[in-house]
Amino acid sequence: MAEMPMIEIKAVSRFYGIYKALDSVTLDIAAGEFFSLLGPSGCGKTTLLRSIAGFDTPTSGDIRIDGQSAIGVPPNRRPTNMVFQNYAIFPHLNVAENVAYGLKRLKLDAQDERRRVGDALDQVRLSTLGKRGAHELSGGQRQRVALARALVMRPKVLLLDEPLSALDKKLREEMQVELRSLQKAVGITFVLVTHDQYEALAMSDRIAVMFGGRIAQVATPKEIYQRPLTRAVADFLGGMNFMKARITGETATDLSVETQRFGAVTLTKPPGFTCGTSEATIGIRPERLRVLWDDDTAPHAIEGHVVDRHYFGEITHLIVNVPGLDAPLSVSETNNFGADDIPVGAPIRLAYDPDALVALAD
Amino acid sequence: MSPPLTGAKFTGGRHGIRKSRWLPIYVTVYLGFLYLPILLLPIFSFNNAASTTFPLAGFTTKWYAALWGNGAMLDAARNSLFVGLCVAILSTGHAICAARAITRYRFRGQRAATGLIMAPLFLPEIIVAVSLLMIVLQIGIELSLATVILGQTVFCLPYAMSVLISGFEGFDRSLEEASMDLGETALGTFRRVTLPVVAPAIVSSLLVSFTISLDEFILAFFLSGTEPTLPVYIWGQLRFAAKLPSVLALGSLMLVLSILLITIAEFLRRRSQRRIQGRLANG
Ligand SMILES: Nc1ncnc2c1ncn2[C@@H]1O[C@H](COP(=O)(O)OP(=O)(O)OP(=O)(O)O)[C@@H](O)[C@H]1O
Ligand SMILES: [Mg+2]
């Protein structure tokens, strides 16, 4: 990031009594980026977002928005706008009045204001509902009103606290696509809080994964999914098969390990990896293990027995016991070739690509 | 729901029906007892006779007409109106602050504070009246409409509080945050969001306080000096049998006004609740 970040969060901590809701969080968010804060419930996502919005003041640390320190600046004087989790639509105003709410303070002339409200409603495809009362809207429509109401202010940063969690699955997936293309269209920095990994992966330019008030990893969706740094990140994003491996060699960037069944491999060393012991944790995603049928062959394969099977529609999860491994492997296989018919107890061969193995810090 | 439970409920229901054969009769008698005397008021107020006995002696509106010519009565009515307005504004004003604090913040002594504010609801009114009178006399304030207003404000506060608390409880804090987020100041937020959303509850509290003040007798009787409010005036008139029909006419008017105000208040309270609940149900 050559240019100045839109949001700089510097060593921000937030204590509630002695409880650390945020623990020295440092983070840069670039202008025009779609950035997601992802983590389990209670990890401090909302606290961080509210600190950026100005509804919460960090106990220590600095937050700079567009180059200006925001500490001590009240929410109404920050160039940020927020979409609240419950949308917070003003119940006494209709849709258009809700959207125009913030504009009233700008004292635009009537025509200008009408145009901006109209444009904002167009953007979220609500132009026909301007006269609707706030309590006559569906969940998805309320979400759009909240979005239009914030966007009409032309903020530098739009903050969204789990904006889709109140919607049903289908609508949620539609809105994910819509939000993403809306962000592309307006070019505003979006910071999205979510505890839904798929949502974060599908929408973001970059994701920060948080646990217990700390940032565990910041990376692009692809990188964070394929190259998780820690066991917790890997586990939170989609699940992973973990195993112990013996360290046989180490350079500044790489780690050579010897595993029970996956042979000797050289892996990228995760930053912050401390080689205290002679053992490392490595992992492989369930979908990176492929079932070998009949006389299929592969350069790298392992053998085992199916001990359990879970059907998920388009895929099946197979639990495979491999002799010599501490824990059974979880395999996810598409049902195109009949993975849903493999009987429990059947012998099975699994192909893998050594590149799919990752070394993980604890 | 498991079958045994449904069965138990069913027999319970049948049991209830058998028992309730006397219930309609009881309810009829009860309601008759409650409302017939009140009904007599307007009936006799249109009766063309000075005595309140059956049979009725024909229809007249002269008692109502006589009210207009009655200067003392009009004075009392003006006093009541003035006191009612002051009490409504004062008690609602105070109750807004208290109800907002109670519904919005957690603070030490919250329960105690709530209890103390609501207590006059359960204290015998005559005790409150006597103690207020003692204090007023002790301090040496002259009895006047002002002292009535003071006393009735204390008395109305819990009623205003219960109306407002129910109105404020559904109020979502994030509405105010959303307003601040959209650039509005704290004061502007209160004016543009908080007030309008809770306005029905406030109006309803004003109406309830006003109605209570309008009908309130004991405090007014103890604390008013030479200027009577309507109930005190009526009480004074009851000594003169000839004035009774006029009092009945006046009473009928007050009755209608009270019912009207309370109905509007209840309507507003329900509407504000529906509005808030509709939002919750949708969100
Ligand atoms: N006002 C408060 N007082 C005390 N503790 C608080 C307060 N607000 C939040 N916390 C604590 O701080 C932690 C982080 O809260 P936060 O709301 O940021 O979590 P979150 O990541 O948004 O979780 P969720 O996904 O459930 O919304 C939680 O453990 C919470 O209990
Ligand atoms: Mg949260």
Side-chain angles (χ1 to χ4, degrees):
Chain A
M1 274 175 283
E3 53 194 299
M4 187 183 65
M6 178 56 80
I7 301 175
E8 293 167 83
I9 296 163
K10 291 180 180 161
V12 163
S13 295
R14 175 66 164 103
F15 292 82
Y16 289 113
I18 56 158
Y19 179 77
K20 262 190 186 175
L22 292 177
D23 188 357
S24 192
V25 170
T26 297
L27 200 62
D28 281 353
I29 299 172
E33 193 171 28
F34 197 125
F35 194 92
S36 293
L37 296 169
L38 174 67
S41 186
C43 72
K45 310 178 293 286
T46 298
T47 307
L48 187 56
L49 198 75
R50 289 173 60 84
S51 306
I52 300 174
F55 294 118
D56 200 295
T57 310
T59 313
S60 65
D62 190 17
I63 295 177
R64 303 179 78 83
I65 302 170
D66 201 21
Q68 312 241 309
S69 175
I71 301 297
V73 180
N76 52 342
R77 298 227 305 276
R78 294 191 184 201
T80 59
N81 280 113
M82 182 135 161
V83 174
F84 289 80
Q85 183 162 10
N86 63 357
Y87 309 142
I89 306 294
F90 302 125
H92 57 299
L93 303 178
N94 70 24
V95 169
E97 289 165 340
N98 260 283
V99 175
Y101 185 90
L103 294 181
K104 290 279 184 246
R105 274 193 70 78
L106 304 183
K107 303 250 185 315
L108 307 171
D109 62 70
Q111 200 186 346
D112 228 20
E113 181 183 303
R114 245 200 324 278
R115 195 172 41 74
R116 269 174 79 166
V117 170
D119 287 351
L121 286 175
D122 277 344
Q123 266 174 344
V124 297
R125 299 195 285 122
L126 274 185
S127 21
T128 54
L129 295 187
K131 292 278 177 291
R132 277 276 178 94
H135 46 275
E136 300 166 329
L137 299 172
S138 73
Q141 289 165 342
R142 300 169 70 75
Q143 205 261 346
R144 285 162 209 259
V145 174
L147 208 56
R149 190 176 67 179
L151 282 175
V152 80
M153 302 304 293
R154 300 184 182 154
K156 289 178 179 158
V157 181
L158 187 71
L159 308 166
L160 306 107
D161 191 356
E162 312 217 10
L164 307 178
S165 62
L167 308 179
D168 60 68
K169 187 167 181 295
K170 191 154 162 42
L171 187 57
R172 191 160 64 225
E173 281 163 6
E174 270 171 39
M175 284 307 295
Q176 282 172 10
V177 176
E178 209 168 298
L179 255 187
R180 176 68 204 186
S181 50
L182 185 65
Q183 191 266 340
K184 283 264 190 288
V186 295
I188 292 172
T189 311
F190 275 37
V191 182
L192 173 91
V193 158
T194 179
H195 59 246
D196 181 339
Q197 41 156 332
Y198 296 109
E199 195 167 295
L201 290 172
M203 295 165 80
S204 327
D205 291 317
R206 283 194 308 150
I207 300 172
V209 181
M210 293 179 70
F211 293 111
R214 287 165 179 269
I215 304 268
Q217 185 173 2
V218 184
T220 63
K222 199 169 160 176
E223 193 179 334
I224 216 160
Y225 187 77
Q226 294 186 350
R227 299 278 152 215
L229 295 184
T230 69
R231 191 180 164 132
V233 171
D235 207 23
F236 189 73
L237 277 118
M240 195 175 247
N241 294 300
F242 301 109
M243 60 207 105
K244 290 282 176 214
R246 198 164 53 78
I247 297 174
T248 54
E250 189 185 359
T251 68
T253 55
D254 290 342
L255 206 58
S256 300
V257 294
E258 170 79 39
T259 67
Q260 279 281 9
R261 291 290 149 192
F262 290 91
V265 279
T266 298
L267 306 169
T268 311
K269 189 156 77 172
F273 180 84
T274 47
C275 185
T277 61
S278 57
E279 276 203 329
T281 302
I282 64 165
I284 186 165
R285 293 272 182 209
E287 72 276 9
R288 298 304 295 269
L289 293 164
R290 195 162 47 81
V291 175
L292 288 173
W293 304 98
D294 307 324
D295 42 350
D296 284 356
T297 55
H300 303 278
I302 53 176
E303 288 178 18
H305 285 87
V306 176
V307 291
D308 208 351
R309 193 181 68 190
H310 306 285
Y311 180 71
F312 284 97
E314 78 277 24
I315 57 164
T316 292
H317 278 190
L318 299 169
I319 310 298
V320 176
N321 207 356
V322 177
L325 288 183
D326 319 332
L329 291 175
S330 175
V331 180
S332 114
E333 178 71 34
T334 62
N335 287 336
N336 297 350
F337 308 108
D340 46 337
D341 287 331
I342 299 176
V344 169
I348 194 170
R349 287 181 303 131
L350 300 170
Y352 68 92
D353 181 348
D355 280 350
L357 288 164
V358 287
L360 300 160
D362 278 314
Chain B
M1 196 136 290
S2 59
L5 197 57
T6 324
K9 254 189 166 166
F10 183 64
T11 42
R14 275 218 311 222
H15 200 56
I17 288 165
R18 209 182 309 132
K19 241 191 192 168
S20 74
R21 195 159 301 152
W22 294 102
L23 200 59
I25 299 172
Y26 164 72
V27 169
T28 313
V29 170
Y30 175 90
L31 289 179
F33 216 74
L34 199 61
Y35 285 107
L36 274 183
I38 299 177
L39 224 80
L40 289 180
L41 214 69
I43 290 175
F44 280 114
S45 74
F46 288 110
N47 188 23
N48 194 2
S51 64
T52 54
T53 49
F54 287 105
L56 299 173
F59 181 82
T60 181
T61 54
K62 67 176 174 188
W63 306 121
Y64 287 90
L67 281 180
W68 286 119
N70 184 342
M73 195 288 300
L74 289 180
D75 279 344
R78 245 194 312 278
N79 289 344
S80 264
L81 207 67
F82 174 70
V83 169
L85 280 177
C86 292
V87 168
I89 291 167
L90 280 175
S91 55
T92 300
H94 283 98
I96 287 175
C97 303
R100 189 163 158 85
I102 284 168
T103 48
R104 164 110 172 240
Y105 303 106
R106 307 244 143 269
F107 52 91
R108 196 192 300 230
Q110 185 165 21
R111 277 161 170 267
T114 316
L116 284 175
I117 295 171
M118 300 305 272
L121 210 53
F122 311 106
L123 291 178
E125 201 187 340
I126 187 125
I127 305 289
V128 179
V130 169
S131 34
L132 279 175
L133 180 63
M134 271 166 47
I135 291 173
V136 166
L137 292 180
Q138 200 84 73
I139 301 175
I141 307 172
E142 197 129 337
L143 289 180
S144 66
L145 289 184
T147 48
V148 179
I149 291 169
L150 228 62
Q152 290 192 345
T153 300
V154 174
F155 184 67
C156 284
L157 206 56
Y159 296 95
M161 280 278 284
S162 46
V163 171
L164 287 171
I165 285 181
S166 96
F168 285 11
E169 234 151 32
F171 185 81
D172 180 357
R173 177 102 208 260
S174 62
L175 291 180
E176 290 175 327
E177 288 188 342
S179 164
M180 297 283 285
D181 189 66
L182 292 165
E184 192 51 274
T185 57
L187 204 68
T189 296
F190 186 73
R191 191 174 57 78
R192 290 179 67 194
V193 174
T194 319
L195 262 186
V197 174
V198 298
I202 292 175
V203 173
S204 145
S205 158
L206 285 170
L207 291 175
V208 166
S209 312
F210 181 82
T211 311
I212 292 173
S213 161
L214 194 67
D215 298 344
E216 203 282 332
F217 173 68
I218 301 178
L219 285 164
F221 183 66
F222 274 62
L223 296 172
S224 63
T226 52
E227 306 160 284
T229 62
L230 267 183
V232 176
Y233 170 79
I234 290 174
W235 162 255
Q237 295 301 293
L238 286 177
R239 277 174 292 167
F240 314 109
K243 301 250 176 91
L244 192 57
S246 263
V247 170
L248 292 182
L250 180 56
S252 306
L253 288 180
M254 287 176 66
L255 189 68
V256 170
L257 186 62
S258 298
I259 292 174
L260 203 70
L261 290 180
I262 290 294
T263 310
I264 295 173
E266 181 62 13
F267 170 76
L268 285 173
R269 195 187 62 79
R270 289 202 190 165
R271 201 182 64 167
S272 75
Q273 224 164 40
R274 229 194 346 266
R275 197 148 82 173
I276 288 169
Q277 276 161 6
R279 186 165 52 75
L280 290 181
N282 262 327

